[in-house]
Amino acid sequence: MAYKVIKAFTDSNLNSANSLGEKHIYWEGDAYPFKPYAGASTKLRLAELTSGGYIKEIDNDGRVNTEN
């Protein structure tokens, strides 16, 4: 399972900020990092981003998963 950014957004996670306090921006076409052992809070974030139209699940070969 993998995810691709389909609409640019700024990561709301404070831990993603750099040393200047700037938060990470995910640009359209970027791969969204996903770890298969992700916990419940990560799963909720994935659901939020997919339902909000920010990321889309893709197959490992880069094709969009049509089941979601």
Side-chain angles (χ1 to χ4, degrees):
M1 180 181 337
Y3 292 89
K4 185 173 190 175
V5 177
I6 56 175
K7 183 168 70 172
F9 67 98
T10 303
D11 196 334
S12 63
N13 183 349
L14 293 176
N15 293 327
S16 74
N18 65 15
S19 61
L20 300 175
E22 300 164 331
K23 294 181 182 176
H24 183 79
I25 299 173
Y26 290 100
W27 297 103
E28 187 175 330
D30 285 352
Y32 186 76
F34 170 76
K35 295 180 176 33
Y37 54 86
S41 62
T42 300
K43 290 176 184 175
L44 288 174
R45 180 68 173 150
L46 289 173
E48 176 185 20
L49 292 172
T50 53
S51 66
Y54 293 99
I55 64 174
K56 184 85 172 168
E57 185 177 349
I58 58 173
D59 291 330
N60 289 335
D61 62 4
R63 292 179 296 155
V64 173
N65 185 338
T66 57
E67 293 178 16
N68 292 337

